[in-house]
Amino acid sequence: EADIYQTPRYLVIGTGKKITLECSQTMGHDKMYWYQQDPGMELHLIHYSYGVNSTEKGDLSSESTVSRIRTEHFPLTLESARPSHTSQYLCASTQSDVATNEKLFFGSGTQLSVL
Amino acid sequence: KQEVTQIPAALSVPEGENLVLNCSFTDSAIYNLQWFRQDPGKGLTSLLLIQSSQREQTSGRLNASLDKSSGRSTLYIAASQPGDSATYLCAVRDNQGGKLIFGQGTELSVKP
């Protein structure tokens, strides 16, 4: 099984602050994803990366940015947090590999509350 | 645009019952379909993955089927237990960009 870690687990922060949500995986997966999920709603893809120095925006418009300088690390940054950013953020990864069928593994998520 | 729908949105059953969760998708050009479990406030755990060329996958008390031509998948849970209570999500991966499109989930409650 892949190991994928997200920190912090919970974050309460004031409006206007800059925050970075961390996501790291230890299995050398090339593909990584960020999803946003509001309570009782479906997951929406906000960013993804298919390798180092490769990042793309997802289906849901987001004011966040991401970077992929190292294979194992895919942090998400909000330059100026707003209450509308309050949500759960889930990081996921997978390996481009026919043998594994690109099974997706998720971190435990970061619950962000912006006051 | 691919859309994934799960019915019912919520389901409550007594312990021991067999149950079926449904997932439908609008575009049959999928790479695979994956079923996940999500416990409240937590991330997702992968349960079963079915390749587009497969008809079903089994793991313990879980059996997932795929009918690509009709755009449907079912997750069958045998002899349900209170520990099965969670939200179950299905997601399809498209053939193009490899992105995963999620349904809204079915919230399952198994009563002792």
Side-chain angles (χ1 to χ4, degrees):
Chain A
E1 291 290 322
D3 291 319
I4 180 165
Y5 307 99
Q6 287 187 245
T7 57
R9 183 72 182 88
Y10 300 95
L11 180 61
V12 181
I13 201 164
T15 297
K17 299 292 186 181
K18 177 180 178 180
I19 59 170
T20 297
L21 308 185
E22 302 288 348
C23 176
S24 295
Q25 46 92 9
T26 60
M27 297 303 290
H29 287 173
D30 56 347
K31 295 183 177 179
M32 297 189 73
Y33 306 82
W34 276 104
Y35 287 87
Q36 185 175 344
Q37 185 182 33
D38 293 320
M41 305 296 286
E42 64 263 43
L43 280 77
H44 290 288
L45 181 67
I46 52 175
H47 296 283
Y48 61 100
S49 167
Y50 286 171
V52 171
N53 294 326
S54 163
T55 62
E56 301 286 345
K57 288 187 179 294
D59 301 319
L60 182 68
S61 175
S62 174
E63 294 166 342
S64 57
T65 58
V66 292
S67 63
R68 189 88 182 276
I69 299 173
R70 303 197 315 268
T71 298
E72 63 271 21
H73 195 211
F74 191 40
L76 181 145
T77 298
L78 279 165
E79 291 292 333
S80 180
R82 295 206 301 269
S84 60
H85 296 139
T86 295
S87 188
Q88 184 180 41
Y89 293 83
L90 290 160
C91 181
S93 72
T94 190
Q95 180 63 36
S96 300
D97 185 338
V98 173
T100 64
N101 298 320
E102 297 200 13
K103 185 178 179 181
L104 203 64
F105 296 90
F106 277 83
S108 298
T110 293
Q111 181 61 52
L112 174 64
S113 296
V114 183
L115 306 177
Chain B
K1 180 185 175 184
Q2 179 75 271
E3 292 181 3
V4 181
T5 304
Q6 290 186 246
I7 296 173
L11 180 65
S12 182
V13 299
E15 182 177 5
E17 271 203 12
N18 303 323
L19 58 100
V20 175
L21 307 181
N22 297 293
C23 173
S24 61
F25 46 95
T26 55
D27 186 350
S28 62
I30 65 170
Y31 181 69
N32 61 33
L33 183 146
Q34 202 166 349
W35 280 93
F36 294 89
R37 169 186 172 138
Q38 185 176 30
D39 292 289
K42 296 188 178 179
L44 280 70
T45 301
S46 179
L47 297 174
L48 290 164
L49 183 149
I50 310 177
Q51 276 293 85
S52 61
S53 58
Q54 296 175 326
R55 297 283 293 180
E56 66 176 351
Q57 284 287 325
T58 298
S59 176
R61 294 183 293 109
L62 305 179
N63 176 276
S65 68
L66 175 64
D67 184 343
K68 205 171 64 165
S69 61
S70 67
R72 293 180 182 179
S73 175
T74 61
L75 179 67
Y76 175 81
I77 302 177
S80 58
Q81 302 170 358
D84 294 331
S85 298
T87 296
Y88 291 80
L89 297 107
C90 73
V92 299
R93 182 183 295 280
D94 64 42
N95 277 335
Q96 304 303 319
K99 292 180 287 186
L100 218 59
I101 309 298
F102 282 84
Q104 291 175 309
T106 294
E107 185 176 355
L108 173 66
S109 176
V110 181
K111 304 295 184 184

